[in-house]
Amino acid sequence: MAFSIETFIEDCKSAAGKDPTHKGVAEHMGHAMADTDGILRDLGQPTGSGVFPLYRSENLTVINVVWAPGMSVLPHNHDMWAVIGLYGGREDNIFWRRIKDDPEGRIEAAGAKSIGIGEYTPLGRDIIHSVLNPTAKLTGALHVYGGDFFAAHQSEWEADQLTEYERDMDAVRARFGME
């Protein structure tokens, strides 16, 4: 069966309605990533970077995220679980953890994972990660979040001292060239 974004969204809504964790959604993401050509046929070949909402509710958000070549995003959290699957390009993630008892909320690196075409990964509610598109081409990814991604309180950490501040979604859109 060929990929359909409408079916994928309905499957994710159903899975999230049955189980508040990421597990059911991750299963559907796995099926979707088995047909990356179908995703490209349905969504179209990306032509520029952006954060393109496909579905948004209080309990679930589905976004088509397209990263520009060489683009990076500072360490941030989502304050909800996520499942990320790549249908084109690559994402290099650095995972971070809070430094215990640090009064400025600083973080330190705790691991890394590269995600390629057809791969997906779940991120827990408390995960902090930064992302890099290390390729010379656009990277396309389906992101599914266990809540309203655009309304959630999220943090971001500045690059020099890795201190925490509130994430500004308008600034995120601007980084993706969507001012």
Side-chain angles (χ1 to χ4, degrees), residues 126-166:
D126 297 324
I127 293 292
I128 300 167
H129 72 136
S130 54
V131 185
L132 167 69
N133 172 7
T135 73
K137 58 186 176 184
L138 294 170
T139 288
L142 290 176
H143 288 214
V144 181
Y145 297 93
D148 185 343
F149 174 82
F150 297 101
H153 169 79
Q154 299 176 25
S155 290
E156 194 165 60
W157 284 260
E158 58 83 27
D160 292 325
Q161 298 298 315
L162 295 173
T163 55
E164 184 175 8
Y165 61 93
E166 187 170 344

Side-chain angles (χ1 to χ4, degrees), residues 91-96 109-115 128-130:
E91 271 189 22
D92 286 349
N93 288 265
I94 298 175
F95 297 107
W96 303 83
K113 182 173 187 177
S114 185
I115 309 167
I128 300 167
H129 72 136
S130 54

Side-chain angles (χ1 to χ4, degrees), residues 26-74:
E27 182 177 329
H28 292 295
M29 184 67 80
H31 295 305
M33 291 303 114
D35 187 11
T36 56
D37 289 339
I39 294 170
L40 284 168
R41 275 192 303 275
D42 201 33
L43 295 179
Q45 186 70 39
T47 58
S49 65
V51 177
F52 307 103
L54 302 172
Y55 176 80
R56 179 181 178 187
S57 75
E58 184 178 302
N59 301 321
L60 192 76
T61 305
V62 181
I63 305 171
N64 180 21
V65 178
V66 181
W67 303 90
M71 183 177 182
S72 65
V73 174
L74 292 169

